[in-house]
Amino acid sequence: MFIEIQELSKFYNTSLAVNKISFEVNKNKTLGLLGPNGCGKTTTIGMILGLVSPSEGKILIENKNINEFKRDEILRRFNFASPYVELPKKLTVKQNLEIYGRLYGVENLSFRINEISNDLDIKNFFNKKTGELSSGQKNRVSLAKSLINKPEILLLDEPTASLDPDIGDFIRSYIQDYKSKNKVTILLASHNMGEVERLCDSIIMMKKGKIIDNGTCEELIKKHGRNNLEETFLKLARSKDEF
Amino acid sequence: MNFNKIYALGLRHLYLIMNSFPRVLDLIYWPTVQIFLWGFISKFFTLNSEYYNNTVGVILTAAILYDFLFRASISFNMMFLEEIWSRNFTNLFIAPIKIREIIAALTLTAILRTLIGLVPAVLISVPLFGVSILKLGLPLIFLLLSLYLFGITLGLLVTSGLLRYGPSFENIAWASLFFLAPLGCIYYPIEILPFALQIIAKGLPLVHIFEEMRNILMTETVNYLNIFKSIIISLIYFCLGVVVFYLSYFGAKKRGTLINMGE
């Protein structure tokens, strides 16, 4: 198993944000993290990224506890993108990519920046300050930063939130294409059910810090007798039972 | 330590300065105003004070050295705050850079910001007031080293507060140096302080630095023991600052404040 989460919990003082969750992700597969706001998705991502220390439980990468890796050794294999996390606004797109490329120790950096910029069509605003970009442009730059090191594990937190349908589709198509050409394991937190159906091999559904169901999209839709993932999400989010 | 990563983080702040002329102007403006203000005060005291009457530029030299300390500390704080203001905090802390490399990068880059602000001010003090801090001679290097270490230590303590309490701790960043200034004996000898405060003041490197500065300028002799004492005290505080920073970092991980820390 590539990523294995075992009985992971997080308490903030007395409140329980994540409650003994366990799941696994196979190499080069995409797992969707679904759930209503405040269900513990971001805390879970934070724990995997080492931003939040778990109160209980383990995170294993290739059967090795994440705490046994050196910080820079393990983080070199990860990357992350979220519209809620930005790049320095006063720096140009090119400068930001250069700095993050250097921080991630990317070899042949100029070539990599050129390659990712062409792929994500960001070259025409390459010398513009990041703070002056539109939401769609910022998201593409953020995605470029998250792929600069060709991560083995990519964590995406609502990568298409607040984007128009055209740009949203561009991002989803790009991720789909990137997945098919590169070896990458993705954890995707999203509220866009169409996106989840399109990109994820399997999903886990969280509620109040717990995993209440998991499986492939088709399995969950069929299991809960609904027509699509959106209806399934609503049923699970509004129900009081575990499945 | 990976120097490429330290360089990358330094480059981030260098680009920030280079991309904005108003930012450079802001860095130069305040130290220059300080020089003008203290230059005139210094001139007045030189002409009218018995204590300072034979020594031109003691106050102005003290003002320059104090500003060096102030700029070093503020530069360190500002660079950390920039990451919070730009909502880049999460990206920085998930990058494969060790915490000690972050500290090293901020420490080394702070000197650049400090010098951008201070060098023009130091240069104008020569033709305008006839005062040059180079009159302190070789000991100046050690005095600056001690001041820089202490300035960075204050920066580390404030950034630790930012990690612990979030951006609301920002106001403390601005107030931190003013809090210590009275005990630093920057413009007056330590004997002016009440006895109890003298004991506390001696625990700070500032007293030893500024006492020695006055000693060099007024008696033209150097007491290297005083300078050595100030460096050792600064080093002890610096090590404590690093420990506090690490504790705050681990505390922030526990409290989850590293996620989405922003304005």
Side-chain angles (χ1 to χ4, degrees):
Chain A
M1 198 53 57
F2 192 48
I3 304 173
E4 203 174 339
I5 307 295
Q6 292 180 350
E7 302 275 304
L8 199 65
S9 295
K10 181 64 193 174
F11 294 92
Y12 290 123
N13 295 323
T14 51
S15 92
L16 188 57
V18 174
N19 186 2
K20 292 193 173 184
I21 62 167
S22 298
F23 62 88
E24 296 169 346
V25 194
N26 284 319
K27 202 163 189 171
N28 306 328
K29 296 289 178 191
T30 301
L31 176 79
L33 283 172
L34 268 66
N37 292 327
C39 71
K41 299 190 296 286
T42 304
T43 303
T44 304
I45 287 176
M47 285 192 278
I48 295 170
L49 285 169
L51 289 170
V52 180
S53 43
S55 307
E56 288 168 11
K58 282 181 192 168
I59 300 165
L60 306 175
I61 307 290
E62 290 177 323
N63 299 318
K64 187 175 170 183
N65 193 321
I66 204 163
N67 296 330
E68 291 170 22
F69 289 94
K70 284 181 187 165
R71 179 186 150 83
D72 54 334
E73 181 194 333
I74 190 67
L75 288 176
R76 200 182 301 134
R77 299 168 68 183
F78 281 73
N79 216 321
F80 171 68
S82 164
Y84 311 113
V85 175
E86 296 183 20
L87 291 165
K89 297 177 181 72
K90 306 284 181 195
L91 266 59
T92 65
V93 172
K94 190 180 174 188
Q95 288 170 342
N96 269 316
L97 292 179
E98 183 195 342
I99 283 155
Y100 277 96
R102 285 178 184 277
L103 285 177
Y104 279 88
V106 176
E107 284 173 16
N108 209 347
L109 183 58
S110 301
F111 175 80
R112 181 64 188 143
I113 290 175
N114 202 38
E115 183 182 46
I116 194 89
S117 306
N118 282 331
D119 289 352
L120 280 160
D121 195 23
I122 58 175
K123 272 226 152 151
N124 52 337
F125 45 85
F126 220 42
N127 292 313
K128 227 174 159 181
K129 286 182 184 165
T130 312
E132 294 167 1
L133 304 179
S134 68
S135 301
Q137 290 171 331
K138 272 185 196 167
N139 269 33
R140 277 186 280 161
V141 173
S142 179
L143 193 59
K145 172 258 155 191
S146 73
L147 297 173
I148 193 91
N149 60 326
K150 293 191 173 175
E152 287 174 59
I153 301 166
L154 177 64
L155 294 104
L156 299 170
D157 190 8
E158 301 185 42
T160 59
S162 74
L163 294 183
D164 71 54
D166 182 37
I167 303 285
D169 183 65
F170 175 87
I171 300 274
R172 283 187 280 276
S173 300
Y174 180 76
I175 295 170
Q176 227 170 356
D177 186 51
Y178 185 85
K179 260 179 70 179
S180 67
K181 291 177 184 162
N182 296 275
K183 290 175 179 170
V184 61
T185 306
I186 302 176
L187 255 81
L188 170 76
S190 179
H191 290 301
N192 184 322
M193 297 304 126
E195 178 172 288
V196 172
E197 279 188 86
R198 189 166 156 185
L199 297 175
C200 297
D201 299 296
S202 60
I203 54 174
I204 58 168
M205 178 78 188
M206 292 180 72
K207 192 177 165 186
K208 292 180 183 169
K210 292 175 91 172
I211 294 176
I212 54 168
D213 213 345
N214 65 83
T216 64
C217 295
E218 294 77 20
E219 280 169 2
L220 290 184
I221 293 166
K222 199 175 164 189
K223 182 178 170 185
H224 295 282
R226 293 295 190 267
N227 296 317
N228 54 45
L229 195 61
E230 181 123 10
E231 286 179 13
T232 312
F233 176 90
L234 289 173
K235 184 190 172 190
L236 288 167
R238 290 170 183 171
S239 69
K240 289 179 181 168
D241 309 316
E242 286 181 35
F243 296 87
Chain B
M1 289 266 192
N2 182 324
F3 288 97
N4 281 330
K5 290 177 186 176
I6 293 171
Y7 173 69
L9 209 53
L11 198 61
R12 178 252 190 276
H13 293 285
L14 187 66
Y15 280 150
L16 191 68
I17 295 167
M18 280 163 50
N19 285 359
S20 169
F21 179 66
R23 207 176 279 267
V24 177
L25 212 58
D26 184 57
L27 284 175
I28 296 171
Y29 176 76
W30 292 110
T32 308
V33 168
Q34 282 279 80
I35 295 301
F36 272 97
L37 177 68
W38 286 104
F40 290 123
I41 293 172
S42 177
K43 200 170 175 182
F44 171 76
F45 277 119
T46 305
L47 296 172
N48 296 285
S49 159
E50 206 176 295
Y51 183 77
Y52 287 119
N53 62 359
N54 289 322
T55 315
V56 178
V58 174
I59 292 182
L60 189 53
T61 305
I64 292 170
L65 292 185
Y66 178 57
D67 214 53
F68 179 80
L69 170 80
F70 186 80
R71 298 292 142 203
S73 177
I74 288 293
S75 293
F76 193 96
N77 297 338
M78 280 296 291
M79 287 189 292
F80 200 77
L81 280 165
E82 292 278 3
E83 307 296 359
I84 296 175
W85 292 332
S86 63
R87 300 180 69 86
N88 180 47
F89 211 72
T90 302
N91 277 328
L92 177 67
F93 278 90
I94 61 157
I97 181 165
K98 296 183 184 99
I99 300 303
R100 61 174 178 267
E101 288 165 349
I102 295 178
I103 294 173
L106 293 177
T107 302
L108 293 173
T109 317
I111 195 147
L112 183 75
R113 281 179 62 108
T114 306
L115 291 178
I116 289 173
L118 217 60
V119 168
V122 168
L123 290 178
I124 63 164
S125 71
V126 180
L128 283 180
F129 302 104
V131 173
S132 169
I133 58 165
L134 296 178
K135 277 185 186 164
L136 287 166
L138 187 67
L140 175 65
I141 297 168
F142 302 110
L143 294 175
L144 289 178
L145 174 70
S146 185
L147 281 169
Y148 192 68
L149 277 173
F150 193 62
I152 294 300
T153 303
L154 294 172
L156 274 167
L157 295 175
V158 171
T159 49
S160 302
L162 288 166
L163 276 172
R164 168 68 180 81
Y165 299 102
S168 57
F169 200 74
E170 189 182 326
N171 286 338
I172 307 293
W174 310 119
S176 60
L177 268 169
F178 296 104
F179 171 72
L180 286 175
L183 292 176
C185 300
I186 298 153
Y187 302 111
Y188 42 80
I190 190 168
E191 292 77 28
I192 296 293
L193 294 177
F195 182 71
L197 287 181
Q198 283 185 30
I199 296 167
I200 299 170
K202 279 178 183 170
L204 295 171
L206 299 182
V207 169
H208 307 285
I209 293 166
F210 288 99
E211 287 281 310
E212 191 48 36
M213 175 218 72
R214 278 188 287 273
N215 177 49
I216 295 168
L217 291 178
M218 295 168 88
T219 68
E220 295 183 346
T221 58
V222 183
N223 183 348
Y224 277 100
L225 185 68
N226 237 353
I227 296 173
F228 180 72
K229 211 189 285 178
S230 79
I231 292 174
I232 293 296
I233 296 172
S234 291
L235 257 177
I236 292 168
Y237 279 113
F238 178 75
C239 294
L240 278 172
V242 171
V243 171
V244 172
F245 187 89
Y246 268 90
L247 290 174
S248 297
Y249 167 70
F250 290 119
K253 274 179 71 169
K254 205 173 171 187
R255 282 182 301 278
T257 48
L258 292 178
I259 305 181
N260 295 335
M261 191 189 273
E263 277 181 286

